[in-house]
């Protein structure tokens, strides 16, 4: 049917055109036009028309029955909106292809009929979902299809669908890697096998008598519901254990698929249960709406990505939350300790600024410069990490996860929000003193080193780069703010990498493999192998995260130049060091207004480093823990109230009774393994 035929005609005209007489056609064109006309009309008005034109309603019902007669609908129950692949990217590719080029199904199925009748399945579902149960019953009754769920052929399809789902669930649940996630069930009977056994009893009863009817008191039905709950608990336990054992993308998808199939069994099992005619009519409506709903969501990419990535994002933030708790200071002693850690980190960055400037003088391609810069950054970041020092902007990605974890474990009450506001004040002052430590030491160290080189070599090495360095700190002449946001994104990304590395370390049991490796045991001994394993477990995620952060920071500018794009990175600590080099290169002879602008830009860069990395990280962390964003209106109000009542708490560690509550909140959540 062409587009030109889909004219906006009234439902009355269409119904009378096709159904003033008993229409024997099996063409889908009438149904397509009717659905389109229904969507723009109030359903009560349509019902009124059909009730006053009984012959049209009867002929319309005859047509609908004729269209769907002998067409199987099990595909709509077993396939639609259920993962078909056990890996994320194959499933994503399949859904994208099906969205733009739908698969061609067997024409003798309800699935194929629905695909050919309407391209706007979501709209159809929303329309009929808003119809009241009473009006839907009247509609089904007028068309003579109220009791179709009681037909033997329909019950056979439903039962067949239940069996398909049960067989698939058993196959997925028996995978070795899935079973490994739930060692608690090794000593218990498998609930999935028990579920299938109960379904077999119903299969046998239906084979003997196709008019067999399940009642709500049926023993097999009750047992199936019990075993379904046991199976769902199996999946829940596997998800919970992922924090202990880690998880792969494949197992994550398998568990989601099992959960979807169990939920589908739970949805369609009651369609076989009826204690009276009213139940059969209700089941008919539910089956109709369910098929519409499943089909309307079958290729939903957003829902698929959301569900598939939630657990992995939870595991990522679980690792970073444990690390982030160490960046929140509560006492004056911790505050001072954080300052010195940041100061030593600033000292190292001061040297990195010098090295980066010297590397820029080396002749070579942009890719050779990318390698040199990446090596410089990665070496410095790993050194800062392994020596226990602090790079301030690395903290937001870690602390955001801590914030989300604290909230997700708490009972979200006004009292809890007050304690959380105190946690935020501790985080803010920790970030503040880290920025201060980094900036205050990166500037003089870079200045001192470039001066020493000048004395030693009798040459001001910063002269050639001075104008460029100062220009990059002028937001009116460069994209300093945009470049600071790029750096913030890479900070966020490095936190993601740390989480993935931490999860992989646990899932593949790398430390245990190192400790028990025969080659290592013979080469360095068992004790040293265990020590090496412990070192790997503690430091590998941080090392790999800092390595990639260095690569991102070092390669962005050269790659941008190669591609002709104005992209680069600006980081507050490096901006401080570069400011010192620019000043020295110009002999400290720059206009006062430029000095003020560059100084202000250093802190503007720090703000955007923080806000982008923290913002992206908190969104990921909150999403992973299913925290409602609407709660943040109340939380933000409490934080603002706490700021105005105790503003100094956000900058210096003034003792407060709220500090103890905040410390308790963190200890009871983040520290809990």
């Amino acid at each position: 049917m062409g587009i030109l035929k889909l004219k906006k005609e009234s439902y009355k005209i269409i119904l009378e055109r096709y159904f003033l007489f008993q229409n024997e056609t099996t063409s889908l064109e009438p149904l397509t036009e009717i659905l389109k006309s229904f969507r723009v009309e109030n359903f009560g008005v349509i019902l009124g028309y059909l009730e006053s034109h009984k012959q049209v309603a009867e002929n319309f019902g005859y047509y609908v029955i004729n269209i769907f007669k002998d067409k199987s609908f099990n595909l709509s129950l077993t396939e639609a909106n259920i993962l078909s692949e056990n890996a994320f990217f194959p499933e994503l590719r399949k859904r994208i292809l099906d969205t733009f080029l739908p698969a061609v199904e067997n024409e003798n199925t309800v699935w194929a009929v629905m695909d050919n009748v309407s391209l706007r399945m979501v709209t159809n579902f929303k329309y009929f979902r808003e119809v009241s149960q009473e009006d839907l019953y009247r509609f089904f009754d007028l068309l003579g299809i109220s009791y179709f769920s009681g037909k033997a052929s329909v019950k056979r399809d439903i039962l067949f669908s239940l069996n398909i789902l049960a067989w698939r669930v058993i196959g997925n649940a028996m995978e070795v890697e899935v079973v490994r996630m739930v060692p608690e069930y090794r000593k218990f009977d498998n609930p999935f096998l028990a579920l299938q056994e109960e379904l077999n009893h119903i299969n046998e009863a239906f084979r003997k008598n196709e008019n067999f009817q399940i009642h709500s008191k049926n023993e097999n039905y009750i047992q199936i519901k019990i075993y379904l709950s046991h199976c769902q608990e199996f999946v829940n336990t596997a998800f919970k254990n992922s924090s202990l054992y880690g998880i792969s993308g494949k197992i994550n998808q398998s568990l989601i698929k099992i959960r979807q199939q169990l939920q589908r069994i739970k949805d369609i099992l009651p369609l076989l249960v009826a204690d009276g005619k009213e139940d059969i009519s209700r089941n008919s409506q539910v089956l109709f709406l369910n098929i519409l709903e499943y089909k309307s969501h079958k290729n939903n990419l957003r829902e698929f990505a959301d569900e598939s990535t939630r657990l992995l994002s939870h595991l990522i933030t679980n690792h970073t939350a444990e690390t982030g708790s160490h960046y929140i200071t509560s006492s004056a002693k911790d505050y001072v300790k954080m300052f010195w850690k940041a100061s030593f980190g600033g000292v190292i960055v001061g040297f990195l600024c010098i090295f980066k400037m010297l590397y820029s003088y080396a002749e070579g391609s942009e890719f050779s410069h990318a390698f040199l810069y990446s090596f410089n950054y990665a070496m410095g970041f790993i050194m800062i990490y392994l020596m226990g020092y602090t790079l301030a902007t690395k903290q937001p990605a870690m602390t955001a996860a801590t914030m989300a974890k604290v909230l997700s474990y708490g009972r979200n009450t006004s009292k809890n929000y007050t304690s959380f506001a105190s946690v935020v004040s501790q985080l803010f002052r920790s970030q503040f003193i880290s920025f201060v430590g980094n900036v205050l030491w990166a500037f003089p160290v870079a200045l001192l080193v470039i001066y020493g080189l000048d004395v030693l070599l009798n040459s001001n090495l910063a002269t050639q780069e001075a104008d460029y360095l100062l220009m990059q700190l002028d937001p009116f002449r460069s994209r300093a703010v945009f470049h600071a946001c790029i750096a913030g994104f890479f900070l966020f990304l490095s936190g993601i990498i740390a989480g993935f590395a931490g999860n992989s370390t646990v899932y593949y049991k790398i430390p245990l493999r190192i400790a028990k490796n025969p080659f290592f045991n013979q080469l360095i001994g068992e004790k040293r192998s265990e020590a090496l394993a412990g070192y790997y477990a503690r430091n590998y995620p941080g090392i790999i995260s800092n390595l990639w952060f260095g690569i991102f920071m070092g390669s962005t500018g050269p790659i941008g130049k190669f591609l002709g794009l104005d992209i680069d990175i600006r980081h507050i600590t490096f901006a401080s060091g570069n400011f010192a080099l620019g000043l020295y290169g110009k002999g400290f002879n720059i206009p006062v207004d430029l000095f003020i602008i560059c100084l202000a830009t250093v802190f503007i860069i720090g703000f955007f480093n923080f806000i982008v990395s923290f913002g992206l990280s908190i969104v990921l962390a909150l999403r992973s823990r299913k925290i409602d964003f609407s709660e943040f209106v109340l939380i933000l109000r409490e934080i603002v109230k706490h700021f105005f009542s105790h503003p100094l708490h956000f900058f210096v560690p003034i003792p407060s009774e709220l500090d103890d509550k905040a410390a308790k909140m963190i200890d009871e959540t983040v520290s809990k393994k």
Side-chain angles (χ1 to χ4, degrees), residues 4 45-46 58 67 349 370 391 439 530 599:
L4 295 177
V45 175
I46 296 172
E58 183 179 331
I67 285 292
V349 169
L391 186 67
V439 171
E530 290 178 1
L599 182 62

Side-chain angles (χ1 to χ4, degrees), residues 387-407:
M387 295 177 73
Y389 302 148
T390 297
L391 186 67
T393 50
K394 282 287 288 181
Q395 299 177 26
M398 306 298 182
T399 50
T402 306
M403 298 292 98
K405 191 167 184 180
V406 167
L407 272 181

Side-chain angles (χ1 to χ4, degrees), residues 118-318:
S118 176
L119 296 175
R120 304 180 63 185
M121 201 60 67
V122 175
T123 306
N124 291 338
F125 170 67
K126 288 181 178 178
Y127 177 78
F128 284 105
R129 175 60 77 185
E130 291 172 0
V131 174
S132 69
Q133 187 174 347
E134 181 182 348
D135 284 351
L136 203 57
Y137 172 79
R138 287 165 56 197
F139 179 68
F140 275 49
D141 191 49
L142 284 168
L143 268 60
I145 56 175
S146 294
Y147 304 111
F148 77 92
S149 68
K151 292 183 177 180
S153 59
V154 174
K155 288 193 288 186
R156 187 186 304 113
D157 251 13
I158 293 174
L159 191 56
F160 183 54
S161 300
L162 285 171
N163 281 283
I164 290 176
L165 290 167
W167 294 330
R168 290 176 180 173
V169 162
I170 291 173
N172 288 322
M174 292 298 101
E175 288 185 13
V176 174
E177 292 180 317
V178 172
V179 174
R180 188 176 73 87
M181 299 291 294
V182 279
E184 297 91 336
Y185 279 79
R186 289 175 184 169
K187 297 181 181 179
F188 297 96
D189 292 334
N190 191 298
F192 296 95
L193 297 178
L195 173 66
Q196 182 60 61
E197 187 176 343
E198 292 298 330
L199 275 174
N200 287 338
H201 292 310
I202 295 178
N203 291 330
E204 188 61 31
F206 190 78
R207 265 195 225 91
K208 293 178 180 178
N209 178 16
E210 288 198 340
N211 295 319
F212 170 73
Q213 183 64 59
I214 302 175
H215 300 284
S216 59
K217 303 294 183 182
N218 182 277
E219 183 178 346
N220 296 124
Y221 171 64
I222 294 172
Q223 283 296 115
I224 289 174
K225 290 203 298 182
I226 293 172
Y227 288 130
L228 269 177
S229 66
H230 290 171
C231 292
Q232 288 172 330
E233 184 57 35
F234 176 98
V235 176
N236 293 338
T237 302
F239 276 125
K240 289 176 183 177
N241 287 345
S242 60
S243 296
L244 294 173
Y245 307 122
I247 195 169
S248 67
K250 178 182 177 182
I251 298 306
N252 179 55
Q253 295 299 101
S254 293
L255 290 173
I256 291 173
K257 190 173 182 180
I258 293 170
R259 185 167 61 188
Q260 290 177 342
Q261 290 165 337
L262 290 173
Q263 184 59 47
R264 187 61 53 84
I265 292 173
K266 188 177 180 180
D267 288 345
I268 65 179
L269 178 65
L271 301 179
L272 289 174
V273 181
D275 294 329
K277 290 185 177 180
E278 297 82 4
D279 293 329
I280 295 177
S281 176
R282 176 186 56 78
N283 290 344
S284 300
Q285 297 173 39
V286 171
L287 179 59
F288 166 71
L289 290 174
N290 281 356
I291 291 175
L292 270 183
E293 181 179 8
Y294 301 151
K295 288 290 288 182
S296 67
H297 291 272
K298 69 183 178 74
N299 289 325
N300 192 301
L301 299 177
R302 183 185 60 80
E303 290 180 1
F304 163 66
D306 183 66
E307 186 172 20
S308 296
T309 58
R310 175 171 282 116
L311 177 67
L312 291 179
S313 60
H314 175 86
L315 292 172
I316 292 165
T317 55
N318 192 64

